[in-house]
């Protein structure tokens, strides 16, 4: 006959086995067929894979599903459908994705079991695609609403990080896009303000770069040009001195201008790395976590009786932490020509760099939370196992429960490897004058081996500012 202790161990072992099996694969591996088809440009099949994937259909992944759905519809040219999904994603974010029950899931299980709340730069990218969708649908006023929402997003993230320059709380590319959107609506005053705000983000950096992106010359010229259009000659002269350039106004083209975005590669994927920590107590009685090399020392914020914590019971804690891995784009560079005149593509947004740096910025805070959660479980396990052997007797029920908590804690530990992976690795752009009528835009793509291929699109010059985004996602 099976005793109670053995039964408890079997139950926890079964639960642990299920957790172990679910922890073996990352998010990217679980949704691999979808991303494989996105990379191959097979968007209809990619959408089928997305809709049939049980993991991304889970309620906790709804935001991620909506962002991916909006992206794949945009790639298919279904701009109305795309914005239906992005609007739902926006609504989720506005309502908030945190709750007491969701926090409890994170404590009892892991962060991968909580609702996906989105990376900060992913929230800005929603506005980028929504604005383009509205422009392609000839809904200029709705695109301007997205321009205003970029400011609101920046303010929200600024409040989140107390406007610290060391944190990603604004996005220079989004502000540049905001200026372009205002300019497309003939609002040169707000366009200047947006361009200036974007430029000032770069200027705050010692090397005049922002998350892997040098300040585009086009942005510098846009700041000066719109300052002059507004009659702000003093500001225009000051920015010419600051940028070290002399801007010569160019006669507007009869056909207007094209802002061409090249979206290359796919965003990095998250994998899991295992790190090991011990709990130590200093001479003042304060508790800290430290890694094997002693390079990381993280305070343990514990609400219980610190004097009763046995540090030997909290040794070799395994922390499953996410790590970004870049995906090397197939195309290493591109050039563009319009009506036999070359134009320069300049990088405007490096999503790879944003992903790596923003994860690094929050790593210590997140690791502290994970370690505290694991330590509390370990303390509970140790207390139960100690209680099981009190008065020289062994309580089989408590002993089994202690071992069960140990097994559960070990196997439930899993990193959150989710992210919006159909985003491009980086975005470059060019501002191109157009002639009236047909304009042949040639994009020459070059891979690492030096092979090239050229794509041609036709743009109708209508005297206005137009937008076009071109994706190479392999």
């Amino acid at each position: 006959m099976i005793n109670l202790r053995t039964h408890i161990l079997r139950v926890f072992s079964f639960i642990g086995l299920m957790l172990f099996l679910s922890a073996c694969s990352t998010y990217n591996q679980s949704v691999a067929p979808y991303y494989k088809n996105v990379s191959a440009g097979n968007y209809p099949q990619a959408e089928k894979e997305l809709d049939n994937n049980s993991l991304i259909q889970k309620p906790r992944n709804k935001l991620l599903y909506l962002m991916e759905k909006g992206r794949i519809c945009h790639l298919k040219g279904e701009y109305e459908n795309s914005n239906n999904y992005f609007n739902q994603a926006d609504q989720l974010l506005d309502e908030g994705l945190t709750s007491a029950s969701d926090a409890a899931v994170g404590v009892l299980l892991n962060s991968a079991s909580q609702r996906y709340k989105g990376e900060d730069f992913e929230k800005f990218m929603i506005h980028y695609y929504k604005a383009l969708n509205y422009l392609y649908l000839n809904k200029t006023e709705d695109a301007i609403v997205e321009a205003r929402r970029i400011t609101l997003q920046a303010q929200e993230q600024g409040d989140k990080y107390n406007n610290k320059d060391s944190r990603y709380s604004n996005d220079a590319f989004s502000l540049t896009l905001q200026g372009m959107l205002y300019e497309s609506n003939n609002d040169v005053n707000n366009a200047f303000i947006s361009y200036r705000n974007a430029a000032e983000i770069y200027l705050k950096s010692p090397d005049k770069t922002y998350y892997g992106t040098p300040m585009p010359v086009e942005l510098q010229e846009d700041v000066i040009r719109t300052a002059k259009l507004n009659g702000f000659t003093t500001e225009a002269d000051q920015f010419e001195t600051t940028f070290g350039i002399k801007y010569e106004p160019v006669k507007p083209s009869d056909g207007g201008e094209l802002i061409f975005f090249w979206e290359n590669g796919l965003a990095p994927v998250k994998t899991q790395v295992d790190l090991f920590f011990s709990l130590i107590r200093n001479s003042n009685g304060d508790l800290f976590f430290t890694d094997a090399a002693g390079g990381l020392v993280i305070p343990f914020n514990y609400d219980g009786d610190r004097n009763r914590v046995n540090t030997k019971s909290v040794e070799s804690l395994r922390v499953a932490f996410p790590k970004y891995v870049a995906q090397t784009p197939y195309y290493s560079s591109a050039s563009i020509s319009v009506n036999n005149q070359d134009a320069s593509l300049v990088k405007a947004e490096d999503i790879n760099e944003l992903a790596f740096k923003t994860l690094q910025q929050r790593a210590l805070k997140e690791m502290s939370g994970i370690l505290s959660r694991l330590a509390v479980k370990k303390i509970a396990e140790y207390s139960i196992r100690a209680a099981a052997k009190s008065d020289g007797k062994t309580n089989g029920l408590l002993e089994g429960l202690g071992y069960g908590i140990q097994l559960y804690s070990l196997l439930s530990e899993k990193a959150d490897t989710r992210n919006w992976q159909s985003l491009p690795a980086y975005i470059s752009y060019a501002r191109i004058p157009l002639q009236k009528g047909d304009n042949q835009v040639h994009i020459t793509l070059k891979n690492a081996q030096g092979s090239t291929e050229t794509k041609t699109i036709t743009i109708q010059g209508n005297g206005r500012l137009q937008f076009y985004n071109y994706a190479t996602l392999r």
Side-chain angles (χ1 to χ4, degrees):
M1 187 174 180
I2 300 175
N3 61 36
L4 186 57
R5 174 191 171 191
T6 303
H7 179 70
I8 291 174
L9 286 174
R10 284 187 177 181
V11 169
F12 274 104
S13 296
F14 176 76
I15 295 173
L17 177 61
M18 296 300 101
L19 290 167
F20 176 75
L21 291 174
S22 67
C24 287
S25 61
T26 64
Y27 164 77
N28 176 262
Q29 292 168 332
S30 300
V31 195
Y34 165 65
Y35 292 114
K36 183 178 180 181
N37 280 286
V38 170
S39 180
N42 190 354
Y43 303 139
Q45 184 60 36
E47 187 172 22
K48 289 180 182 178
E49 296 288 353
L50 186 67
D51 291 336
N52 293 330
N53 187 277
S54 59
L55 175 63
I56 203 167
Q57 294 292 334
K58 292 184 182 298
R60 69 174 184 269
N61 293 325
K62 186 173 183 180
L63 176 64
L64 194 54
Y65 171 77
L66 292 171
M67 293 191 299
E68 291 289 2
K69 193 75 172 179
R71 175 71 165 128
I72 200 67
C73 286
H74 176 87
L75 289 167
K76 291 171 65 182
E78 299 173 358
Y79 305 123
E80 194 78 55
N81 283 340
S82 176
N83 269 359
N84 285 338
Y85 290 110
F86 282 134
N87 283 330
Q88 290 180 60
D90 258 343
Q91 185 176 353
L92 272 183
L93 290 168
D94 288 342
E95 292 171 352
L97 289 162
T98 56
S99 65
S101 59
D102 190 63
V105 168
V107 172
L108 294 173
L109 288 173
N110 50 58
S111 54
S113 301
Q114 293 179 289
R115 299 175 75 182
Y116 184 72
K117 300 170 182 63
E119 298 283 357
D120 289 337
F121 61 87
E122 292 174 353
K123 298 169 188 175
F124 277 113
M125 291 304 296
I126 290 175
H127 300 306
Y128 167 72
Y129 286 113
K130 281 179 68 177
L132 290 180
N133 285 337
Y134 283 130
L135 289 171
Y136 298 158
L137 293 166
N138 296 315
K139 297 182 177 180
T140 305
E141 288 303 317
D142 289 322
I144 297 303
V145 171
E146 288 309 309
R148 298 190 185 106
R149 285 179 65 86
I150 288 171
T151 298
L152 295 176
Q153 184 68 53
Q155 290 173 347
E156 180 181 326
Q157 292 189 190
D159 292 342
K160 179 179 175 181
Y161 300 117
N162 296 317
N163 294 307
K164 292 180 180 177
D165 290 340
S166 60
R167 297 300 300 264
Y168 173 75
S169 58
N170 212 329
D171 189 89
F173 170 65
S174 293
L175 289 173
T176 303
L177 172 69
Q178 184 183 59
M180 296 170 178
L181 294 171
Y182 283 131
E183 196 174 351
S184 72
N185 200 39
N186 298 315
D187 184 353
V188 292
N189 182 61
N190 276 320
F192 165 71
I193 294 170
S194 299
Y195 290 141
R196 181 195 62 194
N197 290 344
E200 287 178 347
I201 290 176
Y202 288 101
L203 293 172
K204 286 180 182 178
S205 171
D207 58 359
K208 305 299 185 290
T209 65
Y210 189 71
Y211 289 93
T213 306
M215 190 192 308
V217 174
E218 285 79 357
L219 173 59
Q220 299 173 28
E221 293 178 346
D222 286 340
V223 173
I224 299 168
R225 177 176 54 80
T226 53
K228 290 187 175 183
L229 287 173
N230 281 291
F232 304 152
T233 54
T234 301
E235 285 94 334
D237 292 343
Q238 288 174 343
F239 277 111
E240 283 186 335
T241 301
T242 299
F243 298 146
I245 63 174
K246 183 67 178 176
Y247 174 74
E248 297 295 337
V250 178
K251 181 182 177 181
S253 300
D254 292 338
E257 288 182 295
L258 172 68
I259 294 178
F260 181 92
F261 296 108
W262 177 42
E263 303 169 2
N264 190 34
L266 284 170
V269 302
K270 280 181 183 174
T271 187
Q272 176 176 304
V273 292
D274 290 337
L275 306 173
F276 295 89
F277 289 81
S278 297
L279 185 64
I280 61 173
R281 190 193 307 272
N282 66 11
S283 56
N284 296 324
D286 298 318
L287 296 169
F288 297 89
F289 299 105
T290 180
D291 64 341
L296 284 175
V297 179
I298 303 172
F300 178 28
N301 298 316
Y302 182 56
D303 295 330
D305 187 348
R306 292 168 174 262
N307 294 323
R308 299 187 64 180
V309 174
N310 187 332
T311 56
K312 290 186 178 180
S313 70
V314 191
E315 293 181 337
S316 194
L317 290 175
R318 179 180 69 87
V319 175
F321 203 73
K323 176 186 176 182
Y324 276 111
V325 177
Q327 303 185 80
T328 304
Y330 177 77
Y331 297 109
S332 55
S333 63
S335 58
I336 188 168
S337 66
V338 183
N339 305 322
N340 298 317
Q341 291 191 352
D342 295 335
S344 298
L345 278 164
V346 294
K347 186 169 67 172
E349 184 85 304
D350 192 328
I351 291 174
N352 273 342
E353 188 76 5
L354 279 171
F356 282 96
K357 288 293 179 61
T358 52
L359 177 59
Q360 182 182 10
Q361 287 172 2
R362 68 174 191 268
L364 284 179
K365 181 179 179 180
E366 289 195 3
M367 198 171 293
S368 175
I370 295 170
L371 282 165
S372 295
R373 167 170 54 82
L374 292 174
V376 168
K377 288 181 181 179
K378 198 72 175 176
I379 291 168
E381 171 211 331
Y382 182 81
S383 298
I384 290 172
R385 289 170 65 181
K389 296 181 179 181
S390 61
D391 300 326
K393 298 179 181 179
T394 300
N395 185 315
L397 175 60
L398 289 179
E399 186 181 27
L401 184 59
Y403 280 112
I405 292 175
Q406 179 186 29
L407 182 64
Y408 176 80
S409 179
L410 176 67
L411 296 178
S412 65
E413 181 60 14
K414 180 181 181 180
D416 187 356
T417 55
R418 297 169 294 178
N419 68 308
W420 186 4
Q421 291 172 15
S422 66
L423 287 177
Y426 59 86
I427 301 173
S428 302
Y429 80 103
R431 191 170 183 131
I432 306 164
L434 300 173
Q435 62 186 18
K436 276 190 176 181
D438 287 353
N439 291 261
Q440 301 300 310
V441 181
H442 304 286
I443 309 103
T444 301
L445 305 165
K446 185 177 181 180
N447 64 22
Q449 289 71 43
S451 300
T452 61
E453 53 186 286
T454 300
K455 309 290 183 182
T456 302
I457 60 173
T458 301
I459 301 293
Q460 288 288 318
N462 58 12
R464 296 178 59 85
L465 183 61
Q466 299 185 64
F467 296 79
Y468 191 95
N469 64 316
Y470 183 79
T472 53
L473 301 181
R474 57 170 172 158

